[in-house]
Amino acid sequence: MRKAETAGGVLLVLFALVMLREALRLPIGWTVSGPGAGFVPFWLSVGVAVAGAVILIQSLLPAPSAAEEAFIPAQAWKPLLVVFLPMAAVIAFINVLGIYLGGALYLVGYMRLVGRFRWLSVVVVSGLIPLVLFFIFEKWFLLPLPKGVFLERILYGR
Amino acid sequence: MLLSVFDDLLFGLGVALTPYNLTVGIIGLVLGTAIGVLPGLGGTNGIALLLPLTFKLQPASAIILLASVYWGAIFGGAITSILFNIPGEPWSVATTFDGHPLAKQGKPGMALTAAFSSSFIGAFVSIVLFTFFAPPLAELALKFGPPENFAVLILALATFTGLGGGNPAKTIFMTLLGLLLATVGFDIVSGQPRMNFGQVALQSGVNFIVIAIGLFGLGEIFLTVEEGLRLEGIKGRIGFRDLWETWKLLPRYFATLVRATILGFWIGVLPGTGATPASFMSYGLAKQFSKHPERFGKGEVEGVVAPETAAHAAGIGALLPMITLGIPGSPTAAVMLAGFFIWGLNPGPLLFATNRDFVWGLIGSMYIANVIGVLLVLTLVPVFASINRIPFGILAPLIVIMSSIGAYATNNQVLDLWIMLGSGVAGYVFKKLDYPLAPLVVALVLGDMTEQALRQSLIMFQGNPAVFLGRPIAMIFLVAALALFALPAIQTFYRRRRARISQPAEVIG
Amino acid sequence: MASRQALRAVAVLGLALVFLLVTLPATGAPAFTPRRPVEWTIPAGTGGGADIQARFMAPLIQKYNLAPQPFIPVNRSAGAGALAFSYMIEKREDPHQILITLDNLFFTPLNQEILMPDRTRFGWRDLTPIARLLLDNFILWVHADSPWRTLADFERAVKAAPRGAIKMSGTGSRQEDEIIMVLLEQTWGVKFTYVPFPGGGQVAAALVGKQVEFTVNNPLEAVGHWEGGRVRPLAIFASKRLPDPKWRVIPTMKELGVNVEYQMLRGIFGPPNVPTEAVAYYQVLFRRLLDTPDMADFIERGGFDKAFLAGADFVRWLEQKDAVVRSLMEKAGWIK
């Protein structure tokens, strides 16, 4: 846990420094009409860096309770990745899959691999939900969501 | 004067109660509730999408439809916040803080009932205020320029200073991080992109609803699956018994209800703020004033009551400057205002005289629609509550899909999906390391507005901050904010003293 | 009232005739019709002028059955339109995407570098011009309680005031509102203070609430306040007075001896390299749309100039407009 605290502190300070560099590209001074565009971002980055550093130092100081437990329990890695990786994959290929097909695949994968549902319920649920969503968003509310190349071709030809 | 208001109100109720307008209102409520539930469709978005449909309606029916959608969306926004920790609407982010813990403890019915009932109370009192005091309140609202808005926003931020609880360094860190993320995007004062790392897509800024969906919604999923892949849903008690039990609790929160209503209504009336800051401020104040602030964030009913009351009160308030002055009090009202032009009306004070059925029909329909609305959602409480019984194996991917749609639809860009996923991971890690999430989100939503108001003020004062002293209204709020900032320190001081005095007793006890 | 109805009847009849004339000779069906909903990007937020206009026109297209598919307005307001433009760049050659413009089409690409896929700098010429529909006007408004009844009163007061003491609220920064202010400053040799707000509604509210001394709001943004007796128009920044009787009372800047003129483009553009058949299709569609009675009413109430222009004439007009914007921005010292 303490290692995770330290690592987190380091990451946060680094993040603050990246933001600080970005802020330095702007006018950070006080102009005739008040603070420049970079004034607030600059001082906030400094503040975040300082606060992050304090957290980092706290994590390095000896703590009264030395209870050492793993930040992510060993048995938790698998379920976490099962949720995370497919999601990242669907987002990465969203332009190809679209939100509907991507969603359907995600449902199939999750229900089958994690939920261990029967194939029949898997197919019914993961077919029905994207279909309902499609009608709600695309047809009734006319809210265009990414449809992906396959659905585009089916719907509008080309 | 007063008599004529009653006269107008009766007339307005008559307009709203014609079978046609009543039907339109109910359709609006149902649609609005659905829009509130679906994270991608905000009230603002939903009303913009429905606007074209109102072309064929009479102006009075059209505004009744849109306003009913708005009320429905405010009621509906609480549902996903409570059940899945996914805010359906920006103003229901604060509802997740205590609403979702309640649902996890098997009391979704109680949380939903508290949300809907208090939302209704806030709305109803606000409508009465609206009916009788609209014109003078509008005049008062006009006195609020950028300096006053800045002061109000600082006060809103101040209400959240004590919210961290745990490690103060982490609370301060998260607040500053939220404020810093709020600067990403486009600087309206200089007309230049900033802090966007050269990415055009980042110019829309880090949207707080995307962050909230990630931090709270996805973060919650990660935390849940970590404890082993739970497959079954939450077994909560379901039935109408929750209604009575929750209602019995409500009188206890009388002070909170009053405070939240007045605060929400007034923040709503101010142009350029809206329901979202109102809900956060109300939550913050409720915690500050509570005798058990430590219970907040762990499933305190009052933590649901406060933001919901304020959000709905602000929703009503936002329509006041729209009707009386033609100035939108919130983004949603801005879209409705676009409708005025479509229906052939010019918004402004003349509407009261020239379009009596429109103005009073709207006011009448607020009474009707909110009564029908609350009855509708309350009868559906058992249905909503039973959603949590859906096996987690279906619910989890469904939540993920709905979150993605919500994140995408806020700005219509894929980048937000990555931001959502990233905040999901961050939410998980922060939660495990005991970083408080609420200050981050509050700072993110208020930061942008606060900086803008500050810089507008300074431009108006030609860079001289001392001119704030010449704005009495702004000064009152700034002093109140200072007091709130100082409050946690004062409280700790007193508590320590009291602890020192009562120490011997503790040793014995 | 009766005469107004009669007028409307005549208008409808006349329109029906126009329709007949337009549709009769159209023997060859257009080579392009939308096969899917047309996405209509608005490079500004909800509730602003461009937004109101697009949301007003989109349902009219369905009402008058001008297209077989719906037109769906989508706001892409971030970065003063930058996001909308880069979205259009991404949708190159797609005939089902259109853009309604305001003058940030000219200002934003000069204020910030938006890149094309080949790393060249984006400008309006990269989009496909379809048509100019309307010209939006700017009016100098002061508060109704102010002592300034005429432009001359205002000019005198401004010249007597210390530099920067007179404040103006406007939409965005380094966009049309601010450029008009700079034009006034240079003409009168004075200095104002510019307070930027995100939208026209808030700009007007700042004036009504006496936070600032004047605005140059579009007619549509301030008409309600005018009717409510809270603001007073002093002059319009157009070359001639508006035809509608309500607006005609407002004199132009020019006739009052102030040589400042500005109008804003409300036009339609497509993404880069849209097929010419699609361009022709949208030109016909929007021309018909402009001639509907609903649009006539909208134009009258909103104080617009109906100004349909397409093809080479439109491009020529755009070039002129671009030259004007560039020289104004140079004069203001915003670009070199």
Side-chain angles (χ1 to χ4, degrees), chain A residues 129-144:
Chain A
I129 287 176
L131 200 69
V132 170
L133 291 177
F134 177 81
F135 274 94
I136 291 176
F137 286 103
E138 304 284 334
K139 293 291 165 194
W140 298 338
F141 284 113
L142 294 176
L143 191 77

Side-chain angles (χ1 to χ4, degrees), chain C residues 27-69:
Chain C
T27 41
F32 169 85
T33 43
R35 295 184 310 273
R36 51 175 295 185
V38 176
E39 203 173 306
W40 195 350
T41 297
I42 305 163
T46 42
D51 182 61
I52 293 174
Q53 204 188 335
R55 292 190 188 281
F56 182 79
M57 292 200 288
L60 281 182
I61 293 173
Q62 272 161 291
K63 181 177 173 185
Y64 289 99
N65 218 352
L66 297 173
Q69 294 281 349

Side-chain angles (χ1 to χ4, degrees), chain B residues 48 55 139 142-143 145 186 188-192 200 203-204 325 327 341 346-347 350 412 452 456 459-460 462 471, chain C residues 52 55-56 59-60 74 78-79 82 86 111-112 164 173 193-194 196-198 205 209 211 220 224-225 227 230 301:
Chain B
F55 226 108
E139 291 301 319
L142 276 178
K143 295 211 163 54
F186 191 79
I188 178 217
V189 176
S190 66
Q192 295 290 329
V200 175
Q203 283 197 27
S204 38
L325 302 168
I327 298 162
F341 299 106
N346 289 334
L350 276 193
N412 299 303
Q452 189 183 310
Q456 282 172 335
I459 290 173
M460 286 172 64
Q462 301 183 343
R471 310 275 293 212
Chain C
I52 293 174
R55 292 190 188 281
F56 182 79
L60 281 182
V74 181
S86 56
N111 278 331
Q112 54 167 299
S173 192
T193 293
Y194 181 78
F197 283 84
Q211 305 295 333
L220 198 61
H225 301 297
E227 287 176 345
R230 288 169 181 276
R301 284 194 303 127

Side-chain angles (χ1 to χ4, degrees), chain B residues 158-374:
Chain B
T159 57
F160 262 73
T161 44
L163 275 188
N167 185 343
K170 285 181 175 170
T171 308
I172 293 170
F173 175 83
M174 291 301 261
T175 311
L176 292 176
L177 183 65
L179 290 172
L180 179 59
L181 287 176
T183 65
V184 171
F186 191 79
D187 175 35
I188 178 217
V189 176
S190 66
Q192 295 290 329
R194 69 169 183 188
M195 307 299 287
N196 68 334
F197 300 91
Q199 299 292 313
V200 175
L202 266 180
Q203 283 197 27
S204 38
V206 180
N207 189 293
F208 105 98
I209 197 79
V210 175
I211 295 272
I213 288 175
L215 280 182
F216 299 119
L218 288 187
E220 183 68 27
I221 297 229
F222 290 142
L223 286 171
T224 313
V225 296
E226 186 208 70
E227 292 154 12
L229 288 165
R230 194 165 53 80
L231 299 179
E232 76 285 10
I234 300 170
K235 292 275 182 290
R237 196 187 56 220
I238 286 155
F240 285 103
R241 213 155 41 121
D242 278 335
L243 291 186
W244 302 120
E245 292 194 352
T246 314
W247 284 346
K248 271 191 283 179
L249 286 176
L250 283 183
R252 248 190 248 175
Y253 309 128
F254 183 76
T256 297
L257 282 168
V258 172
R259 207 166 36 228
T261 304
I262 294 172
L263 178 92
F265 183 66
W266 180 245
I267 300 276
V269 169
L270 294 182
T273 38
T276 313
S279 64
F280 283 123
M281 236 171 131
S282 174
Y283 183 90
L285 280 182
K287 189 175 173 186
Q288 295 269 10
F289 281 98
S290 168
K291 286 195 196 83
H292 319 280
E294 71 284 351
R295 285 192 206 158
F296 277 71
K298 293 173 192 140
E300 170 75 31
V301 175
E302 197 176 357
V304 176
V305 168
E308 282 295 315
T309 314
H312 209 145
I316 304 277
L319 297 196
L320 193 148
M322 178 185 89
I323 289 289
T324 49
L325 302 168
I327 298 162
S330 71
T332 317
V335 185
M336 285 195 205
L337 211 52
F340 283 41
F341 299 106
I342 293 176
W343 311 320
L345 303 172
N346 289 334
L350 276 193
L351 277 181
F352 274 90
T354 55
N355 290 75
R356 193 167 171 242
D357 62 331
F358 178 81
V359 173
W360 287 99
L362 169 64
I363 296 175
S365 85
M366 289 194 210
Y367 286 90
I368 312 284
N370 280 296
V371 171
I372 298 177
V374 76

